[in-house]
Amino acid sequence: MTAQNRLEMRHISITFGGFMALKSVDLTLEGYSVHALTGANGAGKSTLMAVLSGVYDHFTGEILLNGQPVALRSPRDARQLGIHLVQQEVDVALVPGMSVAENIMLDRLAEGGQLYRWGAVRRQARALLEQLDVKIDLRRQVEHCTLAEKQQILLARALSHHCRFLILDEPTAPLDQHESERLFAVVRRLQNSGIGVVFISHRIHELKAICDRLTVLRDGKLIESGPMQDLSGEQIVEKMLGHQLDDIYPPRRPPYSEEILLHIDGLHDEQRLKDITLTLRKGEILGIAGLAGAGKTELCKALFGASASRIIRGELHGKPWKPSSPYAAVKKSMALVPEERRKEGIFVDESVVMNLSVSADNSFSRWSLFGHRRAWRWAEEIIARLGIRTTGPRQTLRRLSGGNQQKVAIGKWLRNNADILILDEPTKGVDIKAKTDLFELIDGLARQGKGVIYASGEFAELVGLCDRICVLWDGRVVAEMAASETDEETLLLYSTGGTPA
């Protein structure tokens, strides 16, 4: 067994534009350990890991590796010290038009200084995947890989260096249960080889399952650091929030209206969906349950006209209808918040006010001129109404936490008063406090008479929030039930192709 590495971050503080994001935070990581880092959105987790991975160089405090101070002022410095970050948005770190092998060896290829033979590149990439017990076609272009495979490619890339500490930022957010279990097996294998792993997640049950130590941040401060085994899930949540959380779901709404907003019969596409029939009523939250690959995203996009599909019969607001394009859907008072919000739902490098006004009707315009003052007032109203944590309408969306970005992604549809909101994995990568805020927002929209389609693989959310639930498996609706009359186990059974005994 090799000597155990020890990394210490002492009194780390960092400020952005006068805002103190980290306030004298300490963190100690060790090899052969899986260390949970958690906290509500905006607590400082990503900022602390950005410091550790060399993204920010204007911090104060010191970092020690095996007792010796180290200069860590760039991602290159971090990699040379054996510190690697696999971020939540895996596509940002990959080159879609290059092969799996090239992406795994990308850092080595970019360093230059030597000629590489492609046969040797593929052999080295294959050896790294074998360390993870993963098989992927090395010649396949990354753009054709699944999210789980892309994550494995980044893990293999980290191993192409002398990896001492590996940071996994919300690694299970895009994965189904089976893929998450495979990831856990990989993490344990890395842990047993001496690598220290930082595991960032909002899923408390996962932290309990995979981690041996825990650090909790809140408002940029260190709240708790110690062994995981001594804490219950409830205690962890209380430390994250600073108070007890009695119930994250709003009280059950009165029975929804019988007025039908949307009905489709026999919807199908050329890839996944097969003979989908469903009905959405006024004031109803209709859950769409399913594991990864079941067709949830395909269904959401098809309903919004963002992908090609055909239907036998469709009605919208009591009139014949079929999905044709996103433009037509918006004109019919429909809205979509996609799963990949940073790629498809928001403009991360634009301001909050721009994002909140981009989907609005022409009420901001007069004589073909955009009314910036009216848009600004509207943004301030939505920020206050939805509780968006931001320094103001001018702030760039990239600086907001995942939960606040999601509030903006939903809030942008409120100006044109959409009657039907399609939400695809709306709490993906969102902490428990932000989830509570989103649940209240969605419940409030339903109470206003909106129809909400809530597609998710988080079965507890579907049971706690929805009125009815349709279960997708292999592109088909295999079950439909009242949410108050089912449970997570039943949804999981149907979503894996099973039926009750």
Side-chain angles (χ1 to χ4, degrees):
M1 181 179 290
T2 58
Q4 181 166 321
N5 289 304
R6 181 182 178 89
L7 190 148
E8 299 170 82
M9 304 182 76
R10 295 180 178 175
H11 311 302
I12 302 297
S13 298
I14 192 168
T15 301
F16 297 97
F19 172 72
M20 200 164 191
L22 294 173
K23 306 164 187 174
S24 192
V25 174
D26 295 337
L27 178 68
T28 299
L29 306 174
E30 303 204 5
Y32 299 99
S33 175
V34 182
H35 195 120
L37 180 62
T38 192
N41 279 37
K45 308 182 299 296
S46 296
T47 303
L48 184 64
M49 291 300 98
V51 169
L52 183 57
S53 57
V55 175
Y56 299 135
D57 64 356
H58 62 286
F59 64 92
T60 60
E62 61 178 346
I63 300 175
L64 294 86
L65 181 60
N66 296 328
Q68 299 299 314
V70 293
L72 212 168
R73 300 293 175 177
S74 71
R76 183 184 180 90
D77 290 344
R79 288 196 298 270
Q80 290 178 339
L81 292 171
I83 302 166
H84 299 272
L85 168 66
V86 178
Q87 57 202 48
Q88 181 180 352
E89 304 292 336
V90 294
D91 287 315
V92 175
L94 296 169
V95 182
M98 295 178 68
S99 70
V100 169
E102 290 169 313
N103 271 277
I104 290 174
M105 302 303 298
L106 188 62
D107 291 338
R108 297 295 190 190
L109 295 172
E111 287 171 0
Q114 56 181 310
L115 294 176
Y116 274 91
R117 295 179 179 176
W118 294 117
V121 169
R122 285 191 285 271
R123 282 195 299 273
Q124 293 176 53
R126 184 178 296 108
L128 293 167
L129 288 176
E130 287 174 354
Q131 290 185 45
L132 301 174
D133 194 24
V134 168
K135 294 182 179 179
I136 308 175
D137 182 357
L138 294 169
R139 297 175 185 268
R140 189 195 312 167
Q141 287 190 329
V142 161
E143 62 187 342
H144 300 307
C145 293
T146 66
L147 283 172
E149 289 172 334
K150 291 175 181 178
Q151 193 177 73
Q152 292 159 349
I153 291 166
L154 289 179
L155 290 173
R157 183 192 294 175
L159 295 183
S160 71
H161 304 266
H162 176 52
C163 183
R164 291 170 165 174
F165 296 95
L166 181 66
I167 305 163
L168 302 178
D169 189 1
E170 292 287 348
T172 60
L175 307 183
D176 63 26
Q177 184 175 358
H178 176 68
E179 291 168 334
S180 295
E181 290 171 354
R182 287 193 61 185
L183 175 65
F184 291 168
V186 170
V187 170
R188 293 188 181 99
R189 191 175 296 113
L190 296 174
Q191 176 189 10
N192 291 335
S193 71
I195 294 174
V197 180
V198 181
F199 198 96
I200 303 175
S201 178
H202 297 122
R203 298 173 174 176
I204 305 302
H205 66 282
E206 291 182 350
L207 301 182
K208 294 286 291 180
I210 195 69
C211 302
D212 48 70
R213 295 190 65 80
L214 168 76
T215 292
V216 180
L217 300 182
R218 187 169 70 241
D219 296 329
K221 298 178 182 178
L222 175 65
I223 301 300
E224 174 86 13
S225 191
M228 172 67 78
Q229 63 185 16
D230 298 331
L231 295 171
S232 67
E234 291 78 10
Q235 289 173 317
I236 295 172
V237 171
E238 289 174 17
K239 293 179 185 299
M240 289 170 58
L241 301 180
H243 59 80
Q244 292 186 353
L245 188 63
D246 297 325
D247 191 355
I248 64 173
Y249 301 107
R252 288 284 180 185
R253 294 174 304 285
Y256 49 84
S257 168
E258 289 301 315
E259 180 182 339
I260 294 175
L261 293 178
L262 173 69
H263 175 78
I264 60 169
D265 187 12
L267 182 146
H268 62 280
D269 63 13
E270 300 300 325
Q271 286 79 38
R272 177 70 62 181
L273 304 175
K274 307 163 189 173
D275 195 29
I276 301 289
T277 296
L278 59 81
T279 299
L280 176 68
R281 294 178 173 85
K282 184 176 181 179
E284 178 184 26
I285 303 178
L286 174 65
I288 305 295
L291 301 177
K296 300 189 305 298
T297 293
E298 290 84 351
L299 176 58
C300 292
K301 289 186 174 181
L303 291 174
F304 195 62
S307 63
S309 65
R310 289 176 289 174
I311 61 174
I312 296 174
R313 184 172 65 92
E315 286 187 4
L316 181 64
H317 302 297
K319 297 180 180 180
W321 165 87
K322 63 178 181 180
S324 57
S325 70
Y327 174 80
V330 172
K331 295 295 286 184
K332 293 290 186 179
S333 298
M334 298 178 69
L336 170 66
V337 178
E339 177 182 9
E340 297 297 325
R341 61 174 175 266
R342 290 171 66 92
K343 290 176 59 178
E344 302 173 335
I346 54 177
F347 297 97
V348 294
D349 291 315
E350 299 293 340
S351 66
V352 173
V353 62
M354 182 273 189
N355 275 274
L356 287 174
S357 57
V358 70
S359 299
D361 54 23
N362 60 5
S363 61
F364 292 141
S365 300
R366 189 177 184 184
W367 300 314
S368 300
L369 298 175
F370 186 76
H372 291 279
R373 185 173 299 176
R374 286 190 292 274
W376 187 275
R377 287 198 296 265
W378 166 252
E380 289 180 324
E381 178 185 334
I382 292 299
I383 288 169
R385 179 176 164 189
L386 304 189
I388 300 171
R389 285 191 63 182
T390 175
T391 58
R394 190 176 285 110
Q395 187 172 22
T396 303
L397 226 63
R398 187 179 293 278
R399 296 294 187 185
L400 270 60
S401 65
N404 287 298
Q405 289 179 3
Q406 191 71 312
K407 290 178 183 179
V408 172
I410 296 174
K412 74 177 186 180
W413 294 111
L414 300 183
R415 181 72 178 186
N416 58 1
N417 203 28
D419 293 324
I420 297 171
L421 293 100
I422 305 168
L423 310 179
D424 187 7
E425 295 289 355
T427 62
K428 177 181 174 181
V430 172
D431 75 84
I432 195 164
K433 175 61 172 65
K435 282 185 180 183
T436 305
D437 293 342
L438 287 172
F439 294 154
E440 290 180 356
L441 169 60
I442 294 166
D443 176 79
L445 293 171
R447 290 176 185 272
Q448 294 171 25
K450 313 291 186 185
V452 179
I453 294 176
Y454 191 102
S456 178
E458 298 289 344
F459 297 153
E461 295 179 10
L462 295 168
V463 173
L465 185 65
C466 297
D467 299 294
R468 287 186 302 122
I469 302 172
C470 293
V471 183
L472 281 183
W473 177 72
D474 194 27
R476 301 178 184 271
V477 175
V478 295
E480 181 180 327
M481 63 208 74
S484 59
E485 298 175 1
T486 190
D487 54 32
E488 298 172 58
E489 290 75 17
T490 302
L491 295 181
L492 179 59
L493 178 64
Y494 280 119
S495 67
T496 54
T499 55

